Amino acid sequence: MAIIFDEKLQLFHLQAANTSYMMKIYRDGYFAHIYWGNKLRNAENYAEIPEVERAWGAHPNSDDRTLTLDCVPQEYPAYGTSDNRNPAYHIQLENGSTISDLRYSSHKILKGKPALEGLPSTYVESLEEAETIEITLTDSLIKLDVILTYTVYEKLNVITRSVKYINSGNEKLKLLKVLSANVDFKNDNFDLLHLSGSWARERHMIRTSLRPGIQSIESRRGASSAQQNPFIALLSKDATETNGDVYGFNLVYSGNFVAEVEVDQFFTTRVNMGINDFDFSWLLEQGQSFQAPEVVMVYSGKGLGEMSRTYHKLYRTRLCRGQFRDKERPILANNWEATFFKFNADKIKAIAKAGKEVGIELFVLDDGWFGKRDADNSSLGDWVVDRNKLPAGLVQLAKDITSYGMEFGLWVEPEMISPNSDLYRSHPNWCLHVPDRRRTEGRNQLILDLSRVEVCDYVIKSISDVLKSAKITYVKWDMNRNMTEIGSACLPAERQRETAHRYILGLYRIMGEITSAFPHILFESCSGGGGRFDPGILYYMPQTWTSDDTDAVERLKIQYGTTVVYPTSAMCCHISEVPNGQTERVTNMDMRCNVAMSGNFGYEFDLTTMGEEDKDVIRKQIEQYKEVRSLIQFGDFYRLLSPFEGNETAWMFVSEEKKEAFAAYFRVLGRPNSPFIWVKLQGLNPNYDYRLIGTGKVYGGDELMQAGVGLPYVLGDFYSQTWRFEAIF
Ligand code: DGJ
């Protein structure tokens, strides 16, 4: 049993493989947090919450000065009833008051894991895989029920949380803040890790010390964003890749989010996470409910690497869905960096054909195939093929390309509308906007108002028509700007601040309907690269374009940071021309290949301009990738050397039974008189012997992990090296 309720102690004990999470019904029905960390058998003594009188405390019971909620670790803290820390929620009543008081009222334990209405979430394939507890907290004055749901994936060692509000009273409630999870830690001996960046510099690892006050990681852009990923972790000060305590939080949501870490006056730490309350509110009328998204919480007592591998496995197997979840992903060629908007059918076919000749399996036609789109200033929303560029249409192009023996894929950007489009001319109010204000454009485009049902219906129909019209087996779903003037022509004044969340609900409906109507299509999400690389989108689309920055050096940090949470099977990595479009850097082909080979592999080249010698190089790269593809996409991932700490990066993949491994090393700048380098591997079986493919040399697993594998003494910048090992018996 993964969830135990100790009646006597009023203690709930959630137990996963190596994790315990405990909470209890405390005095007067307050719901307290007790423990999260390494698995315990029980914690009878630890479950006692110290009760002492603290100066400046306010007391819910006037005759007892030892109880102040400011000192009680809590699961879902309120504002205004003696806890002055950052609350997990905040609601407004009809009389204007923002005080509420939630107390435990009941609980229910169930097998499996119910889906969240309208929202993506992790799932089970059989009831035995997980156990769920629903704890109802009630504000009896206004008859508001708040259900805290916790699921324990016992084997996967994961706990998920979400929250649902049900208004059973007879007044309208305004939800001002509705976070999904709150954890109160007993001290502040932690570092905070988060993944920050920008367009073309996504998910850089940032590790800082906690300090008194609130540190907040958030997005107000209408998307999870390249600037901050909806992930944070608390790390014990001594935590490394292989040691120490790590507590990860990842929100399964693609819109505005917030993660706040507060160190209070007593040096305790409160972490909470959910939909950003900035510019948000939700009117909850009598009988209505509101579902907040899921937070996936992973504890590792063995460092960051183990936390990452836990997320990877869960997301690979119980977040991503569909036929491609467990399938090897195709090696693709995309024409974007090769042609941008300037192409015709002959050029596209020539690139595809050249791709086929070197072993590429899928050709993707990127932006510019529809409407009158010769630049980024028109036609989004008009999903009709441009006959000037493709006179025989998509049907014929797909036929031609598939006749070469490859798959055909297409780029779309369904959430957008160009002011210069037939769609905008007929529906000028279908975009997000506010009355009488400027409509600020980004990349010459506006955003469709997906809070409106008819707009979502249009997107579903127009995109489905395209997907039905030709033999398309892959879609790159792009989204190239963030929100401004967030408002909807259809919502009443009191619901305008619901727009951004309603947009995300509309988007999820669209993605859900389209991906289930076309199960044979592999969907890849993209947002100007990795601007929406989050678990919400991965639920619908199992892979994401990691970044528009394909420079091999920049990609080291971007890919390394991405793997902190997301599996390599979700990470798309392509080789492109040099000098690189984003950095103007010239790196060698080996380095570019070895970096791109560490995810779903592809090319952004104009293959028609390449000589036979270069094509041979590509042929070999593709053969090499095919040999390790399943290991890279489905093996366990280990980070060995961090690009955030120096000139060298290394990582590796190990098969589940530890019989195969693939490791990669990268050195950015060469150094004179450098020491000889041995890279220590991880994740192997110390008792196995491994043969290095290529040389035939045999190494002990213990030797590779404790002593390492040696690098040749080579000078020069942008040096990289890969190793493939197989266990011998
Ligand atoms: C941004 C994407 O990240 C690129 O790969 C490309 O698809 C362009 N959009 C097309 O407009």
Side-chain angles (χ1 to χ4, degrees):
M1 260 200 324
I3 300 177
I4 304 153
F5 178 51
D6 183 327
E7 194 79 56
K8 191 174 114 240
L9 297 174
Q10 298 282 284
L11 183 75
F12 297 93
H13 189 168
L14 280 47
Q15 277 187 326
N18 303 315
T19 304
S20 280
Y21 189 98
M22 295 182 194
M23 50 213 172
K24 84 172 189 186
I25 308 162
Y26 185 48
R27 295 168 56 173
D28 304 325
Y30 293 113
F31 200 54
H33 175 74
I34 299 298
Y35 174 84
W36 183 25
N38 256 319
K39 192 168 183 172
L40 303 177
R41 277 176 293 129
N42 57 45
E44 198 159 327
N45 303 313
Y46 197 69
E48 278 170 25
I49 295 170
E51 290 170 357
V52 282
E53 184 183 343
R54 297 272 205 178
W56 285 88
H59 316 291
N61 303 329
S62 47
D63 56 347
D64 180 359
R65 292 169 62 146
T66 67
L67 176 67
T68 169
L69 295 177
D70 226 13
C71 299
V72 177
Q74 288 166 82
E75 284 297 310
Y76 205 64
Y79 159 74
T81 55
S82 83
D83 187 344
N84 295 302
R85 292 168 290 176
N86 196 20
Y89 75 102
H90 195 196
I91 58 180
Q92 187 165 33
L93 279 51
E94 278 177 5
N95 66 7
S97 149
T98 57
I99 300 304
S100 61
D101 192 357
L102 292 174
R103 312 287 181 99
Y104 168 87
S105 62
S106 65
H107 73 267
K108 195 162 84 184
I109 297 176
L110 30 137
K111 286 212 164 301
K113 180 173 194 288
L116 302 191
E117 206 187 318
L119 287 170
S121 60
T122 55
Y123 60 89
V124 290
E125 287 194 335
S126 88
L127 290 180
E128 311 313 313
E129 288 176 10
E131 210 166 66
T132 296
I133 181 164
E134 294 176 348
I135 291 160
T136 303
L137 308 181
T138 302
D139 184 327
S140 51
L141 182 72
I142 51 174
K143 295 204 170 49
L144 169 69
D145 286 330
V146 174
I147 303 174
L148 309 184
T149 301
Y150 301 73
T151 294
V152 183
Y153 282 95
E154 200 171 351
K155 286 206 184 111
L156 290 168
N157 201 30
V158 171
I159 294 172
T160 65
R161 285 183 66 170
S162 62
V163 178
K164 184 174 181 173
Y165 285 64
I166 303 171
N167 182 0
S168 313
N170 45 25
E171 64 174 301
K172 286 183 186 173
L173 301 177
K174 201 160 212 185
L175 308 182
L176 304 173
K177 178 177 189 179
V178 187
L179 299 188
S180 298
N182 182 92
V183 179
D184 283 347
F185 292 84
K186 296 220 163 19
N187 60 56
D188 66 344
N189 298 331
F190 297 107
D191 286 339
L192 169 65
L193 174 72
H194 56 103
L195 302 173
S196 283
S198 73
W199 171 77
R201 191 170 26 82
E202 296 91 341
R203 290 170 299 286
H204 279 211
M205 292 171 75
I206 310 290
R207 182 172 176 168
T208 53
S209 239
L210 293 191
R211 52 173 166 70
I214 298 180
Q215 298 183 57
S216 141
I217 308 300
E218 61 185 310
S219 167
R220 300 172 182 180
R221 296 170 173 270
S224 49
S225 88
Q227 286 70 14
Q228 301 288 357
N229 195 265
F231 163 82
I232 61 163
L234 290 195
L235 279 68
S236 58
K237 294 282 181 188
D238 62 347
T240 61
E241 278 293 324
T242 49
N243 292 302
D245 291 321
V246 182
Y247 301 84
F249 299 80
N250 193 201
L251 188 67
V252 187
Y253 189 62
S254 313
N256 294 338
F257 74 92
V258 69
E260 290 170 324
V261 184
E262 178 176 15
V263 175
D264 77 347
Q265 57 179 330
F266 307 116
F267 304 103
T268 71
T269 303
R270 169 166 289 175
V271 174
N272 53 36
M273 183 179 246
I275 295 175
N276 200 341
D277 51 316
F278 177 82
D279 202 24
F280 165 85
S281 70
W282 193 275
L283 193 64
L284 199 67
E285 298 192 39
Q286 191 179 3
Q288 290 183 339
S289 62
F290 180 87
Q291 176 67 60
E294 173 165 292
V295 175
V296 177
M297 304 196 333
V298 173
Y299 165 75
S300 156
K302 291 191 189 137
L304 199 59
E306 187 182 80
M307 181 210 72
S308 299
R309 285 184 292 282
T310 304
Y311 275 113
H312 296 172
K313 191 155 191 194
L314 178 78
Y315 287 176
R316 224 168 40 215
T317 60
R318 293 295 179 266
L319 175 72
C320 294
R321 302 172 303 157
Q323 358 182 306
F324 294 93
R325 187 187 77 179
D326 306 323
K327 263 199 195 155
E328 287 188 11
R329 310 289 165 73
I331 300 166
L332 66 82
N334 177 307
N335 71 302
W336 177 245
E337 291 189 30
T339 65
F340 295 103
F341 294 101
K342 218 167 159 231
F343 60 81
N344 58 28
D346 289 342
K347 179 74 188 175
I348 292 300
K349 286 193 277 184
I351 299 179
K353 207 169 204 168
K356 175 63 194 172
E357 280 163 21
V358 292
I360 284 168
E361 299 159 327
L362 162 73
F363 174 80
V364 182
L365 175 58
D366 210 281
D367 197 354
W369 59 267
F370 54 94
K372 296 188 187 74
R373 192 156 163 94
D374 296 323
D376 63 14
N377 57 6
S378 85
S379 305
L380 293 169
D382 299 345
W383 298 109
V384 178
V385 69
D386 178 356
R387 296 265 168 186
N388 288 324
K389 284 183 187 163
L390 306 174
L394 277 181
V395 188
Q396 190 54 45
L397 184 66
K399 259 194 201 149
D400 291 341
I401 288 178
T402 47
S403 77
Y404 309 150
M406 58 198 322
E407 308 273 311
F408 176 66
L410 196 65
W411 176 98
V412 288
E413 194 177 1
E415 299 158 63
M416 298 293 153
I417 179 166
S418 304
N420 181 11
S421 67
D422 291 342
L423 185 66
Y424 192 76
R425 284 181 279 275
S426 30
H427 297 288
N429 280 341
W430 272 19
C431 60
L432 292 176
H433 67 282
V434 293
D436 307 323
R437 297 272 176 202
R438 182 189 63 217
R439 299 175 179 194
T440 306
E441 292 173 20
R443 210 195 189 206
N444 299 306
Q445 61 203 51
L446 297 166
I447 304 184
L448 282 169
D449 179 0
L450 301 188
S451 74
R452 295 173 64 163
V453 175
E454 68 278 31
V455 176
C456 294
D457 291 343
Y458 170 80
V459 173
I460 293 169
K461 171 141 191 356
S462 57
I463 298 297
S464 300
D465 286 349
V466 173
L467 302 185
K468 268 187 249 165
S469 73
K471 207 165 172 241
I472 296 165
T473 52
Y474 163 102
V475 162
K476 177 177 175 188
W477 183 297
D478 208 346
M479 192 281 263
N480 280 305
R481 60 158 295 183
N482 289 146
M483 293 180 185
T484 51
E485 292 93 28
I486 303 174
S488 172
C490 278
L491 291 172
E494 56 190 2
R495 288 194 182 273
Q496 281 298 321
R497 293 175 82 178
E498 297 176 11
T499 309
H501 180 56
R502 285 184 183 273
Y503 176 96
I504 297 295
L505 295 179
L507 174 67
Y508 288 153
R509 185 195 139 212
I510 293 172
M511 287 189 163
E513 289 196 21
I514 294 182
T515 53
S516 20
F518 298 93
H520 65 285
I521 293 183
L522 169 60
F523 285 86
E524 172 170 322
S525 75
C526 171
S527 176
R532 218 168 42 181
F533 205 135
D534 63 62
I537 300 288
L538 286 179
Y539 178 75
Y540 301 99
M541 306 189 173
Q543 58 187 54
T544 299
W545 179 223
T546 311
S547 177
D548 274 352
D549 192 341
T550 44
D551 172 70
V553 174
E554 288 296 304
R555 274 288 183 133
L556 292 174
K557 286 185 177 162
I558 295 169
Q559 294 178 197
Y560 193 95
T562 302
T563 66
V564 169
V565 201
Y566 305 106
T568 44
S569 58
M571 211 166 67
C572 298
C573 310
H574 301 170
I575 305 185
S576 63
E577 303 276 8
V578 285
N580 180 268
Q582 313 309 340
T583 59
E584 306 240 318
R585 188 179 283 123
V586 179
T587 51
N588 58 55
M589 191 58 155
D590 267 359
M591 172 96 166
R592 280 180 281 154
C593 173
N594 291 335
V595 173
M597 277 206 352
S598 303
N600 297 329
F601 192 51
Y603 291 85
E604 302 266 334
F605 283 157
D606 182 352
L607 295 156
T608 59
T609 60
M610 295 197 128
E612 273 316 303
E613 218 173 289
D614 288 338
K615 282 191 183 160
D616 274 345
V617 172
I618 293 184
R619 245 177 232 119
K620 283 205 191 84
Q621 292 176 338
I622 289 176
E623 278 163 24
Q624 260 175 31
Y625 183 70
K626 286 181 179 164
E627 282 164 359
V628 289
R629 166 161 51 186
S630 103
L631 186 55
I632 282 173
Q633 294 179 3
F634 307 114
D636 292 330
F637 184 76
Y638 293 82
R639 288 178 296 268
L640 307 176
L641 292 170
S642 168
F644 298 103
E645 287 165 16
N647 193 30
E648 298 167 296
T649 302
W651 52 55
M652 70 182 289
F653 305 81
V654 182
S655 66
E656 211 173 340
E657 303 79 33
K658 304 193 180 292
K659 289 185 183 154
E660 272 184 86
F662 177 73
Y665 167 90
F666 310 92
R667 186 186 63 208
V668 176
L669 296 179
R671 286 194 307 169
N673 291 322
S674 56
F676 297 109
I677 291 165
W678 277 267
V679 181
K680 290 186 184 178
L681 305 188
Q682 290 179 34
L684 302 171
N685 185 326
N687 301 318
Y688 286 180
D689 283 333
Y690 292 89
R691 179 187 296 119
L692 177 59
I693 294 172
T695 69
K697 259 191 172 175
V698 175
Y699 301 74
D702 54 348
E703 178 189 350
L704 289 171
M705 292 194 291
Q706 302 306 327
V709 54
L711 281 165
Y713 187 76
V714 183
L715 294 175
D717 295 344
F718 313 129
Y719 175 73
S720 67
Q721 165 93 36
T722 60
W723 301 268
R724 261 180 81 201
F725 292 98
E726 61 183 8
I728 48 171
F729 297 99

